[in-house]
Amino acid sequence: MTLKTANPAGPQRTGQPEESDFLPINGTDYIELYVSNAKQAAHFYKTAFGFQSYAFAGLETGLKDRESYVVSQDKIRLMLTSPLHKDSEIGKHIERHGDGVKVVALWVDDATRSYQETVKRGARSYLEPFTLQDENGEAVMSGIHTYGDTVHVFVERKNYRGVFLPGFKRWETTYNPEPVGLKYVDHMVGNVGWNEMNTWVDFYANVMGFKQIISFDDKDISTDYTALMSKVMSNGNGRIKFPINEPAEGKKKSQVEEYLDFYDGAGVQHIAVATDNIIETVTALQSRGVEFLRVPGTYYDTLLDRVGTIDEDLAPLKKLGILVDRDDEGYLLQIFTRPVGSRPTLFFEIIQRKGAKSFGKGNFKALFEAIEREQELRGTL
Ligand code: FE2
């Protein structure tokens, strides 16, 4: 197995000087999921994942066609949106894809320039720049299409002092379960169709100015059944990392193909969220009913031979099913949830980095074998 690192210095040091970065991004602003029942989804993300009630827009705030609940945990904001009537764009999205990520919103200082620079380089327009205002100031938003029906919205909020965005009110509730220690979005992975990976790698490179930091191919990541190819794209300051997966020919249907079938096309496969204490976070998540993929107990028999000395005791890692991988710069701990909806599509990853800048390639084989056992149960292998 060979790790091909396009830039051995890692994502933190791929930074171009700010002035040459035509799309400076401060971070992930929010992630919007189109879901069939936003009110219940918000309850799920609060109860199971420890998100907090944050903002709301709907009939009560003057919206006619939809309602959105925004929940937050430290720097992570999830927006859950449902349509209120038949034949809506949102409803069609849900009918086709099931619940899934529609918007990966990026926080920028200048949403107009972000739009102009990317559209000039070939991005397909989703939202022309427009200004939203209320008594707390104004925000500028714009948007472009990416893979599948997924879009990037650029959010410029430097002149806004309200709770979230103009048009939203603070969502206050009496039911406020404790957070579980999720801090920020570490990376978001897209699954794209056969022979499409390089198209989207080129899109992030040419249209958005990202750099490729890592690639794997089917020789790196394959089990008896699953094969996939993956390339990781990062923006100039390393705050945004988008791995892009494409299926590769295997003996049977790979998990990426299964995703593409059930999502009916390309889309966001998983959202990786960071914690400072994965043992505490995963203990809390499991006690709240979040289900995780489990690798066989034998994974832990050889773990320390593979990754060397780590700060954590092995026993809680094994009990919780947390995986460990090491690269040149350190190690990481990670675990993957089972799909969060009815379709085997979107899931979450919980990750704690201890120096490592990579994505857990050493765990892929063990993990894919675990996924294949679940595919077998679903009859989709
Ligand atoms: Fe990941």
Side-chain angles (χ1 to χ4, degrees):
M1 303 223 305
T2 46
L3 176 70
K4 288 182 277 299
T5 306
N7 180 340
Q12 299 307 316
R13 274 165 273 165
T14 57
Q16 310 142 345
E18 280 295 301
E19 61 271 22
S20 75
D21 188 352
F22 64 83
L23 183 60
I25 301 171
N26 300 321
T28 308
D29 197 284
Y30 65 87
I31 298 162
E32 182 173 18
L33 286 81
Y34 283 176
V35 297
S36 54
N37 192 325
K39 183 183 276 189
Q40 291 186 4
H43 189 76
F44 169 78
Y45 284 106
K46 286 169 62 176
T47 301
F49 281 86
F51 282 87
Q52 307 295 299
S53 302
Y54 185 59
F56 171 82
L59 292 173
E60 295 88 328
T61 65
L63 280 183
K64 299 279 186 259
D65 65 331
R66 68 180 72 187
E67 70 171 9
S68 294
Y69 292 83
V70 185
V71 293
S72 69
Q73 190 163 182
D74 204 325
K75 294 191 171 65
I76 313 163
R77 287 189 287 235
L78 293 184
M79 191 193 300
L80 303 151
T81 298
S82 290
L84 297 177
H85 302 287
K86 65 176 182 177
D87 296 335
S88 69
E89 214 44 58
I90 302 167
K92 285 177 194 150
H93 194 280
I94 295 165
E95 191 195 11
R96 177 169 176 192
H97 301 297
D99 289 5
V101 173
K102 174 65 182 180
V103 180
V104 177
L106 303 170
W107 172 31
V108 298
D109 289 333
D110 188 337
T112 306
R113 179 158 181 255
S114 300
Y115 178 88
Q116 289 166 345
E117 294 289 340
T118 50
V119 168
K120 186 169 85 186
R121 290 170 170 81
R124 194 155 59 89
S125 172
Y126 173 66
L127 279 178
E128 287 186 20
F130 68 100
T131 303
L132 283 166
Q133 282 176 313
D134 68 12
E135 65 280 8
N136 293 307
E138 62 175 48
V140 184
M141 296 171 75
S142 63
I144 58 172
H145 288 267
T146 177
Y147 47 76
D149 284 333
T150 317
V151 300
H152 289 307
V153 165
F154 300 116
V155 183
E156 172 187 332
R157 51 171 67 258
K158 59 181 184 284
N159 297 317
Y160 192 65
R161 297 166 305 279
V163 56
F164 175 56
L165 284 169
F168 283 79
K169 65 170 190 181
R170 183 174 293 284
W171 182 32
E172 305 212 50
T173 50
T174 52
Y175 174 66
N176 304 302
E178 286 286 300
V180 299
L182 302 178
K183 298 275 185 196
Y184 59 88
V185 175
D186 185 275
H187 60 275
M188 293 188 66
V189 178
N191 281 343
V192 301
W194 293 95
N195 305 313
E196 287 180 2
M197 178 176 66
N198 287 331
T199 305
W200 292 105
V201 165
D202 290 346
F203 168 86
Y204 281 105
N206 300 332
V207 172
M208 296 186 68
F210 284 32
K211 294 271 187 281
Q212 185 185 325
I213 52 171
I214 297 174
S215 79
F216 318 109
D217 64 24
D218 50 344
K219 283 178 271 318
D220 296 323
I221 311 168
S222 67
T223 62
D224 280 353
Y225 297 136
T226 284
L228 73 76
M229 295 188 280
S230 186
K231 290 184 177 175
V232 183
M233 303 303 291
S234 171
N235 80 319
N237 60 20
R239 290 183 197 171
I240 306 293
K241 291 185 276 297
F242 292 147
I244 300 171
N245 296 335
E246 166 185 323
E249 210 66 59
K251 275 193 205 150
K252 290 197 180 179
K253 186 180 285 184
S254 73
Q255 51 147 323
V256 178
E257 273 181 281
E258 183 194 40
Y259 176 101
L260 296 170
D261 282 356
F262 280 91
Y263 200 72
D264 194 28
V268 172
Q269 180 210 40
H270 74 264
I271 302 169
V273 287
T275 171
D276 289 341
N277 189 331
I278 196 164
I279 291 175
E280 279 179 21
T281 295
V282 173
T283 300
L285 290 169
Q286 289 190 0
S287 74
R288 290 158 177 243
V290 176
E291 297 176 315
F292 291 92
L293 283 176
R294 299 301 297 236
V295 295
T298 51
Y299 170 91
Y300 296 90
D301 297 347
T302 55
L303 179 65
L304 296 182
D305 299 334
R306 187 163 63 77
V307 302
T309 312
I310 56 173
D311 302 336
E312 293 73 15
D313 289 334
L314 209 52
L317 299 180
K318 183 173 180 177
K319 176 165 169 275
L320 296 164
I322 293 166
L323 310 174
V324 189
D325 196 23
R326 183 178 284 281
D327 65 20
D328 294 345
E329 296 175 82
Y331 68 97
L332 61 83
L333 305 110
Q334 66 187 165
I335 190 169
F336 299 84
T337 73
R338 299 178 70 201
V340 287
S342 296
R343 300 192 196 189
T345 53
L346 177 70
F347 59 89
F348 284 75
E349 171 183 350
I350 315 300
I351 184 167
Q352 181 178 5
R353 292 188 181 278
K354 294 201 149 179
K357 306 256 171 59
S358 52
F359 297 84
K361 185 180 68 113
N363 289 321
F364 286 6
K365 193 171 161 67
L367 206 59
F368 290 173
E369 284 166 352
I371 292 172
E372 282 159 14
R373 283 194 299 279
E374 302 225 328
Q375 280 183 275
E376 206 147 36
L377 291 173
R378 292 194 285 263
T380 60
L381 197 59

